[in-house]
Amino acid sequence: MDDFFTLRTVTWEDGAVRMIDQTALPIKLSYVRYTRPDQVASAIKTMVVRGAPAIGVAAAMGLALAAARSRATKLPDFMREMESAAAMLRATRPTAVNLFWGIDRVMKKAGSAPSVRQAKEAVSAEVKAMEEEDIQVNRRLGSNGANLIHDGDTVLTQCNAGALATVGYGTALGVVRAAVEQGKLVRVLVPETRPALQGARLTAFELARDRIACTLISDTAVGHMMSLGRVDCVIVGADRITRDGYVFNKIGTYQEAVLAKRHGIPFYPAAPSSTFDLARIHGNVIIEERGADEVVKIRGKRIAPKGVPVANPAFDMTPPELVTSMITERGLISAPFEENIPRLIS
Ligand code: MRU
Protein backbone atom coordinates (compact mmCIF):
# COMPACT_ATOMS: atom_id res chain seq x y z
CA MET A 1 0.00 0.00 0.00
CA ASP A 2 3.06 2.23 0.37
CA ASP A 3 3.03 3.66 -3.13
CA PHE A 4 -0.54 4.75 -2.45
CA PHE A 5 0.86 7.55 -0.25
CA THR A 6 3.54 9.14 -2.35
CA LEU A 7 3.70 12.87 -1.66
CA ARG A 8 7.06 13.87 -0.18
CA THR A 9 6.78 17.54 0.73
CA VAL A 10 10.36 18.38 1.77
CA THR A 11 13.57 16.49 0.94
CA TRP A 12 17.23 17.05 1.80
CA GLU A 13 19.49 16.47 -1.19
CA ASP A 14 23.00 17.12 0.15
CA GLY A 15 23.52 20.83 -0.30
CA ALA A 16 20.00 21.51 -1.55
CA VAL A 17 16.41 21.41 -0.29
CA ARG A 18 13.73 20.20 -2.64
CA MET A 19 10.11 20.99 -1.85
CA ILE A 20 6.69 20.91 -3.42
CA ASP A 21 5.60 24.42 -4.41
CA GLN A 22 2.28 24.49 -2.56
CA THR A 23 1.32 27.85 -4.02
CA ALA A 24 0.95 26.14 -7.42
CA LEU A 25 -1.44 23.47 -6.13
CA PRO A 26 -3.91 22.09 -7.04
CA ILE A 27 -3.30 23.21 -10.63
CA LYS A 28 0.25 21.91 -10.88
CA LEU A 29 2.37 19.53 -8.80
CA SER A 30 5.78 21.15 -9.17
CA TYR A 31 8.99 21.24 -7.15
CA VAL A 32 11.42 24.00 -6.22
CA ARG A 33 15.07 23.47 -5.28
CA TYR A 34 16.87 25.88 -2.95
CA THR A 35 20.54 26.13 -2.10
CA ARG A 36 20.48 29.26 0.13
CA PRO A 37 18.90 29.75 3.58
CA ASP A 38 17.26 33.05 2.58
CA GLN A 39 15.40 31.20 -0.20
CA VAL A 40 14.02 28.77 2.38
CA ALA A 41 13.05 31.64 4.71
CA SER A 42 11.17 33.30 1.90
CA ALA A 43 9.48 29.99 0.95
CA ILE A 44 8.20 29.63 4.53
CA LYS A 45 6.96 33.24 4.60
CA THR A 46 5.14 33.00 1.29
CA MET A 47 3.76 29.53 2.07
CA VAL A 48 5.52 27.66 -0.72
CA VAL A 49 5.93 25.30 2.24
CA ARG A 50 3.47 25.45 5.13
CA GLY A 51 2.03 23.32 7.91
CA ALA A 52 3.73 23.12 11.30
CA PRO A 53 5.85 19.94 10.95
CA ALA A 54 6.82 20.78 7.35
CA ILE A 55 8.07 24.25 8.23
CA GLY A 56 10.00 22.81 11.19
CA VAL A 57 11.90 20.43 8.93
CA ALA A 58 12.25 23.04 6.15
CA ALA A 59 13.74 25.61 8.57
CA ALA A 60 16.16 22.97 9.87
CA MET A 61 17.21 22.30 6.27
CA GLY A 62 17.57 26.04 5.67
CA LEU A 63 20.10 26.06 8.49
CA ALA A 64 21.84 23.03 7.01
CA LEU A 65 22.24 25.05 3.81
CA ALA A 66 23.85 27.85 5.84
CA ALA A 67 26.23 25.27 7.31
CA ALA A 68 27.08 23.74 3.94
CA ARG A 69 27.79 27.17 2.38
CA SER A 70 29.91 28.49 5.24
CA ARG A 71 33.55 29.31 4.46
CA ALA A 72 34.40 29.72 8.15
CA THR A 73 37.38 27.73 9.40
CA LYS A 74 36.96 28.45 13.12
CA LEU A 75 34.00 27.24 15.14
CA PRO A 76 33.06 30.62 16.72
CA ASP A 77 32.90 32.23 13.23
CA PHE A 78 30.89 29.30 11.92
CA MET A 79 28.44 29.52 14.84
CA ARG A 80 28.03 33.27 14.31
CA GLU A 81 26.94 32.59 10.72
CA MET A 82 24.60 29.86 11.92
CA GLU A 83 23.07 32.19 14.54
CA SER A 84 22.38 34.81 11.92
CA ALA A 85 20.69 32.28 9.58
CA ALA A 86 18.70 30.94 12.56
CA ALA A 87 17.49 34.46 13.42
CA MET A 88 16.31 34.99 9.83
CA LEU A 89 14.44 31.66 9.81
CA ARG A 90 12.89 32.27 13.25
CA ALA A 91 11.43 35.55 11.99
CA THR A 92 9.39 33.89 9.21
CA ARG A 93 6.22 32.79 11.04
CA PRO A 94 5.42 33.10 14.75
CA THR A 95 2.73 30.57 15.69
CA ALA A 96 3.87 27.04 14.84
CA VAL A 97 6.29 25.94 17.55
CA ASN A 98 7.75 23.24 15.26
CA LEU A 99 9.63 25.99 13.42
CA PHE A 100 11.57 26.87 16.57
CA TRP A 101 11.90 23.20 17.55
CA GLY A 102 13.55 22.39 14.19
CA ILE A 103 15.95 25.33 14.38
CA ASP A 104 16.90 24.64 18.01
CA ARG A 105 17.57 20.99 17.25
CA VAL A 106 20.04 21.85 14.46
CA MET A 107 21.72 24.61 16.46
CA LYS A 108 22.29 22.18 19.32
CA LYS A 109 23.91 19.68 16.97
CA ALA A 110 26.13 22.33 15.40
CA GLY A 111 27.08 23.77 18.80
CA SER A 112 28.23 20.46 20.21
CA ALA A 113 30.59 19.51 17.35
CA PRO A 114 34.36 19.80 17.95
CA SER A 115 35.24 21.24 14.51
CA VAL A 116 33.61 23.06 11.58
CA ARG A 117 33.94 19.99 9.38
CA GLN A 118 32.28 17.76 11.96
CA ALA A 119 29.58 20.37 12.61
CA LYS A 120 28.73 20.43 8.89
CA GLU A 121 28.54 16.64 8.77
CA ALA A 122 26.48 16.43 11.96
CA VAL A 123 24.00 19.05 10.75
CA SER A 124 23.54 17.38 7.37
CA ALA A 125 22.97 13.98 9.05
CA GLU A 126 20.57 15.54 11.54
CA VAL A 127 18.25 17.06 8.92
CA LYS A 128 18.17 13.82 6.95
CA ALA A 129 17.24 12.02 10.19
CA MET A 130 14.52 14.62 10.93
CA GLU A 131 13.06 14.06 7.48
CA GLU A 132 12.78 10.29 7.98
CA GLU A 133 11.64 10.65 11.60
CA ASP A 134 8.76 12.90 10.58
CA ILE A 135 7.21 10.14 8.50
CA GLN A 136 7.74 7.47 11.16
CA VAL A 137 6.27 9.72 13.86
CA ASN A 138 3.21 10.44 11.72
CA ARG A 139 2.72 6.76 11.02
CA ARG A 140 2.78 5.99 14.76
CA LEU A 141 0.46 8.90 15.47
CA GLY A 142 -1.85 7.69 12.71
CA SER A 143 -2.06 4.18 14.05
CA ASN A 144 -2.66 5.50 17.60
CA GLY A 145 -5.64 7.49 16.34
CA ALA A 146 -7.06 5.08 13.76
CA ASN A 147 -9.17 3.17 16.30
CA LEU A 148 -11.12 6.36 17.03
CA ILE A 149 -12.51 6.17 13.49
CA HIS A 150 -15.20 3.58 12.77
CA ASP A 151 -15.97 1.93 9.47
CA GLY A 152 -18.25 4.25 7.50
CA ASP A 153 -17.39 7.41 9.50
CA THR A 154 -17.26 10.93 8.13
CA VAL A 155 -14.39 12.94 9.62
CA LEU A 156 -14.47 16.73 9.57
CA THR A 157 -11.05 18.39 9.40
CA GLN A 158 -9.77 21.95 8.94
CA CYS A 159 -7.08 23.45 6.71
CA ASN A 160 -4.49 20.88 5.60
CA ALA A 161 -2.91 18.65 8.23
CA GLY A 162 -1.88 16.04 5.70
CA ALA A 163 1.17 14.87 3.80
CA LEU A 164 1.54 18.42 2.50
CA ALA A 165 1.79 19.84 6.04
CA THR A 166 4.49 17.35 7.04
CA VAL A 167 7.33 15.57 5.23
CA GLY A 168 4.78 12.90 4.34
CA TYR A 169 1.71 10.97 5.54
CA GLY A 170 0.27 13.78 7.72
CA THR A 171 -1.09 14.19 11.25
CA ALA A 172 -4.89 14.56 11.16
CA LEU A 173 -4.95 13.04 7.66
CA GLY A 174 -2.36 10.51 8.86
CA VAL A 175 -5.02 9.22 11.25
CA VAL A 176 -7.45 9.00 8.33
CA ARG A 177 -4.81 7.24 6.18
CA ALA A 178 -4.15 4.72 8.97
CA ALA A 179 -7.89 4.00 9.29
CA VAL A 180 -8.09 3.51 5.51
CA GLU A 181 -5.07 1.18 5.70
CA GLN A 182 -7.03 -0.83 8.30
CA GLY A 183 -9.65 -1.33 5.59
CA LYS A 184 -12.20 1.14 6.93
CA LEU A 185 -14.37 3.18 4.66
CA VAL A 186 -13.81 6.81 5.64
CA ARG A 187 -15.05 10.07 4.14
CA VAL A 188 -13.37 13.39 4.94
CA LEU A 189 -15.45 16.55 5.08
CA VAL A 190 -13.11 19.32 3.95
CA PRO A 191 -13.93 22.98 4.69
CA GLU A 192 -12.35 25.19 2.05
CA THR A 193 -10.51 27.13 4.82
CA ARG A 194 -10.62 30.75 3.80
CA PRO A 195 -8.69 32.92 3.40
CA ALA A 196 -5.73 30.89 2.07
CA LEU A 197 -7.91 27.94 0.99
CA GLN A 198 -5.63 25.14 2.19
CA GLY A 199 -8.69 22.86 2.48
CA ALA A 200 -9.88 23.34 -1.09
CA ARG A 201 -6.44 23.58 -2.68
CA LEU A 202 -4.37 21.11 -0.66
CA THR A 203 -6.50 18.71 1.41
CA ALA A 204 -8.90 18.00 -1.45
CA PHE A 205 -5.89 17.55 -3.75
CA GLU A 206 -4.02 15.05 -1.61
CA LEU A 207 -7.12 13.05 -0.68
CA ALA A 208 -8.21 12.79 -4.31
CA ARG A 209 -4.67 11.73 -5.27
CA ASP A 210 -4.78 8.94 -2.68
CA ARG A 211 -8.35 8.01 -3.62
CA ILE A 212 -9.71 8.75 -0.14
CA ALA A 213 -13.34 9.88 -0.30
CA CYS A 214 -13.88 13.54 0.48
CA THR A 215 -16.54 16.21 0.20
CA LEU A 216 -15.53 19.86 -0.06
CA ILE A 217 -17.77 22.33 1.78
CA SER A 218 -17.68 26.06 2.37
CA ASP A 219 -16.49 27.05 5.85
CA THR A 220 -19.95 28.37 6.58
CA ALA A 221 -21.56 24.93 6.09
CA VAL A 222 -19.86 23.29 9.09
CA GLY A 223 -22.64 23.83 11.67
CA HIS A 224 -25.36 22.82 9.24
CA MET A 225 -23.59 19.55 8.36
CA MET A 226 -23.20 18.74 12.06
CA SER A 227 -26.86 19.50 12.74
CA LEU A 228 -27.84 17.04 9.97
CA GLY A 229 -25.79 14.28 11.69
CA ARG A 230 -23.29 14.22 8.83
CA VAL A 231 -20.14 14.47 10.97
CA ASP A 232 -19.01 11.56 13.18
CA CYS A 233 -15.86 13.14 14.58
CA VAL A 234 -13.56 16.11 14.07
CA ILE A 235 -9.82 15.56 13.61
CA VAL A 236 -7.60 18.61 13.12
CA GLY A 237 -3.87 19.33 13.25
CA ALA A 238 -2.17 21.82 15.55
CA ASP A 239 0.50 24.47 15.27
CA ARG A 240 1.17 24.66 18.99
CA ILE A 241 -0.34 23.01 22.06
CA THR A 242 0.56 24.73 25.29
CA ARG A 243 1.38 23.06 28.59
CA ASP A 244 -2.13 23.89 29.85
CA GLY A 245 -3.82 22.14 26.92
CA TYR A 246 -4.83 25.03 24.63
CA VAL A 247 -4.71 24.13 20.96
CA PHE A 248 -3.54 26.73 18.43
CA ASN A 249 -4.49 25.78 14.90
CA LYS A 250 -5.76 27.26 11.63
CA ILE A 251 -8.44 29.90 11.98
CA GLY A 252 -11.84 28.22 12.03
CA THR A 253 -10.75 25.36 14.29
CA TYR A 254 -12.25 26.99 17.39
CA GLN A 255 -15.68 27.34 15.82
CA GLU A 256 -15.56 23.66 14.78
CA ALA A 257 -14.75 22.72 18.40
CA VAL A 258 -17.60 24.83 19.81
CA LEU A 259 -20.06 23.38 17.31
CA ALA A 260 -18.80 19.84 17.95
CA LYS A 261 -19.49 20.30 21.68
CA ARG A 262 -22.99 21.61 20.89
CA HIS A 263 -23.72 18.50 18.81
CA GLY A 264 -21.97 15.92 21.04
CA ILE A 265 -19.35 15.13 18.38
CA PRO A 266 -15.83 14.14 19.56
CA PHE A 267 -13.09 16.67 18.78
CA TYR A 268 -9.52 15.35 18.41
CA PRO A 269 -6.42 17.44 17.70
CA ALA A 270 -3.67 15.22 16.25
CA ALA A 271 -0.08 16.42 16.68
CA PRO A 272 3.45 15.08 17.13
CA SER A 273 5.28 15.78 20.40
CA SER A 274 7.30 18.50 18.58
CA THR A 275 4.07 20.58 18.43
CA PHE A 276 3.75 20.70 22.23
CA ASP A 277 5.20 23.76 23.92
CA LEU A 278 5.83 22.86 27.54
CA ALA A 279 7.45 26.24 28.16
CA ARG A 280 4.28 28.21 27.47
CA ILE A 281 0.75 28.57 28.72
CA HIS A 282 -1.96 29.90 26.45
CA GLY A 283 -1.65 33.64 27.12
CA ASN A 284 1.88 33.74 25.72
CA VAL A 285 1.40 32.62 22.13
CA ILE A 286 1.57 34.98 19.17
CA ILE A 287 -1.21 34.47 16.65
CA GLU A 288 0.07 35.43 13.21
CA GLU A 289 -1.80 38.27 11.54
CA ARG A 290 -1.46 38.03 7.77
CA GLY A 291 -1.93 40.63 5.04
CA ALA A 292 -5.33 42.04 4.03
CA ASP A 293 -4.96 40.86 0.43
CA GLU A 294 -5.69 37.26 1.45
CA VAL A 295 -9.14 38.39 2.60
CA VAL A 296 -10.08 41.04 0.07
CA LYS A 297 -8.93 38.94 -2.87
CA ILE A 298 -9.43 35.34 -3.89
CA ARG A 299 -6.50 34.05 -5.91
CA GLY A 300 -5.64 37.60 -6.94
CA LYS A 301 -9.20 38.70 -7.83
CA ARG A 302 -10.68 41.47 -5.69
CA ILE A 303 -13.94 40.54 -3.91
CA ALA A 304 -14.29 43.45 -1.46
CA PRO A 305 -14.25 47.23 -1.89
CA LYS A 306 -10.88 48.98 -1.86
CA GLY A 307 -9.97 50.41 1.55
CA VAL A 308 -12.31 48.25 3.67
CA PRO A 309 -10.70 47.59 7.08
CA VAL A 310 -9.63 43.95 7.39
CA ALA A 311 -8.56 41.63 10.21
CA ASN A 312 -6.79 38.45 9.14
CA PRO A 313 -5.76 36.26 12.09
CA ALA A 314 -4.27 33.07 10.64
CA PHE A 315 -4.82 30.89 13.73
CA ASP A 316 -7.16 30.57 16.70
CA MET A 317 -7.09 28.99 20.12
CA THR A 318 -9.29 26.12 21.27
CA PRO A 319 -9.53 25.67 25.06
CA PRO A 320 -8.98 22.20 26.56
CA GLU A 321 -12.59 21.82 27.76
CA LEU A 322 -13.64 21.44 24.09
CA VAL A 323 -11.09 18.69 23.41
CA THR A 324 -12.10 15.02 23.71
CA SER A 325 -8.52 13.77 23.56
CA MET A 326 -5.28 14.56 21.78
CA ILE A 327 -3.65 12.07 19.42
CA THR A 328 0.16 11.89 19.48
CA GLU A 329 2.83 9.40 18.39
CA ARG A 330 3.29 8.54 22.07
CA GLY A 331 -0.36 7.69 22.62
CA LEU A 332 -3.62 9.51 23.38
CA ILE A 333 -3.79 12.30 25.94
CA SER A 334 -7.05 12.93 27.78
CA ALA A 335 -8.19 15.33 30.51
CA PRO A 336 -6.93 16.66 32.81
CA PHE A 337 -4.62 17.95 30.06
CA GLU A 338 -2.62 20.21 32.34
CA GLU A 339 -1.47 17.11 34.22
CA ASN A 340 -1.34 14.60 31.39
CA ILE A 341 0.51 16.67 28.76
CA PRO A 342 3.70 17.07 30.82
CA ARG A 343 3.42 13.41 31.86
CA LEU A 344 3.49 12.11 28.26
CA ILE A 345 5.50 14.86 26.56
CA SER A 346 8.75 15.67 28.24
O1 MRU B 1 -0.97 28.59 7.67
P1 MRU B 1 -0.65 27.14 7.53
O2 MRU B 1 -1.16 26.55 6.26
O3 MRU B 1 0.81 26.85 7.77
O4 MRU B 1 -1.46 26.45 8.70
C1 MRU B 1 -1.42 25.05 8.84
C2 MRU B 1 -2.29 24.56 9.92
O5 MRU B 1 -2.93 25.29 10.64
C3 MRU B 1 -2.27 23.08 10.16
O6 MRU B 1 -3.52 22.64 10.62
C4 MRU B 1 -1.22 22.80 11.25
O7 MRU B 1 0.02 23.34 10.88
C5 MRU B 1 -1.07 21.37 11.51
S1 MRU B 1 -0.27 20.57 10.19
C6 MRU B 1 0.05 18.96 10.52
Side-chain angles (χ1 to χ4, degrees):
M1 202 153 212
D2 250 349
D3 62 346
F4 195 48
F5 306 129
T6 49
L7 286 172
R8 173 76 68 134
T9 302
V10 196
T11 320
W12 178 245
E13 292 182 335
D14 253 339
V17 184
R18 183 176 188 258
M19 48 179 97
I20 293 176
D21 179 359
Q22 300 194 34
T23 62
L25 288 171
I27 308 302
K28 197 168 72 170
L29 177 59
S30 56
Y31 293 81
V32 282
R33 199 168 170 276
Y34 300 127
T35 52
R36 297 197 322 262
D38 60 299
Q39 293 172 317
V40 175
S42 150
I44 295 172
K45 250 193 183 139
T46 57
M47 291 166 77
V48 166
V49 60
R50 35 64 53 201
I55 65 175
V57 174
M61 290 178 180
L63 263 183
L65 292 180
R69 294 174 66 85
S70 172
R71 298 251 172 104
T73 52
K74 295 196 177 73
L75 260 179
D77 298 335
F78 174 76
M79 285 309 289
R80 254 193 303 280
E81 286 179 25
M82 290 293 281
E83 281 297 353
S84 126
M88 171 180 67
L89 288 157
R90 279 195 186 99
T92 51
R93 297 191 74 187
T95 307
V97 74
N98 307 61
L99 179 84
F100 307 95
W101 166 88
I103 293 169
D104 290 347
R105 191 162 150 176
V106 170
M107 289 305 283
K108 201 165 157 202
K109 259 295 170 226
S112 58
S115 70
V116 172
R117 183 182 58 78
Q118 281 160 299
K120 288 183 177 192
E121 283 169 10
V123 162
S124 171
E126 186 72 353
V127 296
K128 197 67 204 166
M130 287 167 80
E131 180 184 332
E132 295 311 320
E133 234 177 66
D134 178 274
I135 295 176
Q136 297 319 317
V137 160
N138 291 332
R139 282 198 173 270
R140 283 206 296 281
L141 181 158
S143 88
N144 288 340
N147 287 340
L148 301 169
I149 300 180
H150 306 107
D151 191 29
D153 272 0
T154 294
V155 178
L156 174 73
T157 191
Q158 175 68 349
C159 188
N160 172 267
L164 290 165
T166 59
V167 173
Y169 204 71
T171 57
L173 297 187
V175 177
V176 170
R177 285 196 163 92
V180 170
E181 283 178 311
Q182 288 178 346
K184 292 172 186 161
L185 205 64
V186 184
R187 175 168 293 277
V188 183
L189 204 52
V190 182
E192 55 183 346
T193 316
R194 274 284 286 150
L197 295 168
Q198 292 94 328
R201 294 190 301 109
L202 309 176
T203 297
F205 169 81
E206 71 166 84
L207 291 175
R209 187 181 152 95
D210 282 347
R211 300 184 295 283
I212 296 174
C214 75
T215 303
L216 182 65
I217 56 172
S218 65
D219 300 327
T220 37
V222 165
H224 177 67
M225 297 304 264
M226 286 188 182
S227 75
L228 293 180
R230 289 174 63 180
V231 177
D232 296 295
C233 67
V234 183
I235 309 182
V236 295
D239 288 83
R240 190 185 296 242
I241 301 176
T242 53
R243 185 186 187 88
D244 50 351
Y246 285 73
V247 179
F248 291 78
N249 192 46
K250 180 53 55 192
I251 193 77
T253 302
Y254 171 60
Q255 62 206 32
E256 286 188 8
V258 171
L259 283 161
K261 187 72 153 187
R262 164 79 175 81
H263 294 283
I265 297 166
F267 177 86
Y268 305 112
S273 46
S274 52
T275 298
F276 286 78
D277 184 356
L278 296 187
R280 272 192 187 67
I281 54 167
H282 66 279
N284 297 336
V285 176
I286 299 173
I287 290 188
E288 179 182 8
E289 183 75 26
R290 293 185 66 86
D293 265 11
E294 283 185 354
V295 179
V296 298
K297 294 180 182 167
I298 294 184
R299 310 254 82 194
K301 192 173 182 322
R302 175 169 288 279
I303 52 145
K306 276 193 178 144
V308 65
V310 170
N312 186 15
F315 301 94
D316 60 25
M317 178 183 86
T318 299
E321 60 269 23
L322 300 179
V323 173
T324 309
S325 50
M326 298 174 183
I327 306 166
T328 81
E329 81 278 19
R330 300 190 187 176
L332 302 184
I333 308 179
S334 44
F337 294 104
E338 202 158 335
E339 277 173 34
N340 291 335
I341 288 174
R343 199 169 286 154
L344 197 74
I345 314 288
S346 47

